[in-house]
Amino acid sequence: MQVISLSLFWTIVIDIGAWLFFHLAIAAICLKLPPATFQNNAFWSRIYSWEKSGVLWQQLFRVKEWKGRLIDGASLFKRGYQKKSLHGTSREDLRTFAMETERAELTHWLSILPAPLFFLWNPPLVGWLMIVYAVVFNLPFIITQRYNRGRIKRMLS
């Protein structure tokens, strides 16, 4: 329900600023999480047997064809871990890469959560469009992380 009524100009400015803030703040918070946070095999990050070690994501979405075009947000932060390619092939390198895909996946799941707040200053239709934006923007990143982590976990086992 729209609580604040703004001009079209200010609504657009606030929408853009709010998304920028939420994306950057969530990414910065997730970057500060210690690696131990991602060692608990949580339900949201676990690779399930039905995912076939990432093969499912390739079959459904042809991930290999477009994943290279996604922006790696790690380049925005000094402490970010680039996930465009492996940093090595040792077991420790693979574990680190898998852990960083969990961090990235969590970042994108959490980046969807603020979308309902946009109903506060947007008309209902635009509020729903913000939810669609949040899902459509973040889902390719989530799918890519699950695809990559499934393949890495298979290599580690």
Side-chain angles (χ1 to χ4, degrees):
M1 178 168 100
Q2 187 176 355
V3 176
I4 303 166
S5 184
L6 303 165
S7 70
L8 178 62
F9 172 79
W10 284 112
T11 301
I12 293 170
V13 167
I14 290 172
D15 286 345
I16 292 168
W19 275 124
L20 184 63
F21 168 77
F22 289 132
H23 286 306
L24 293 176
I26 291 168
I29 290 166
C30 287
L31 268 175
K32 292 187 183 295
L33 295 173
T37 305
F38 305 100
Q39 294 173 351
N40 60 3
N41 203 22
F43 75 94
W44 60 267
S45 65
R46 185 177 307 133
I47 300 299
Y48 293 93
S49 60
W50 53 265
E51 293 179 86
K52 304 177 202 163
S53 298
V55 172
L56 174 77
W57 303 113
Q58 174 60 22
Q59 289 171 336
L60 291 177
F61 300 107
R62 301 182 201 192
V63 177
K64 285 194 269 190
E65 292 179 21
W66 50 263
K67 73 176 189 149
R69 291 187 223 130
L70 294 176
I71 298 166
D72 189 345
S75 59
L76 299 173
F77 299 93
K78 288 180 189 173
R79 290 184 49 211
Y81 182 92
Q82 298 285 329
K83 291 169 294 306
K84 286 280 185 186
S85 60
L86 288 174
H87 295 232
T89 55
S90 73
R91 290 189 72 72
E92 191 55 37
D93 292 328
L94 295 176
R95 279 192 202 100
T96 300
F97 192 92
M99 186 269 301
E100 290 297 338
T101 66
E102 285 187 51
R103 183 187 309 276
E105 184 180 348
L106 177 62
T107 300
H108 287 284
W109 280 118
L110 293 176
S111 293
I112 295 171
L113 296 181
L117 295 175
F118 286 78
F119 282 99
L120 294 175
W121 64 87
N122 283 286
L125 177 61
V126 178
W128 285 109
L129 287 173
M130 293 299 160
I131 289 176
V132 169
Y133 159 78
V135 171
V136 168
F137 177 81
N138 287 289
L139 210 52
F141 294 94
I142 292 167
I143 289 168
T144 300
Q145 301 315 317
R146 297 196 68 77
Y147 168 75
N148 286 335
R149 191 165 59 259
R151 293 172 59 217
I152 297 295
K153 296 279 185 174
R154 183 178 63 222
M155 292 167 66
L156 285 168
S157 63

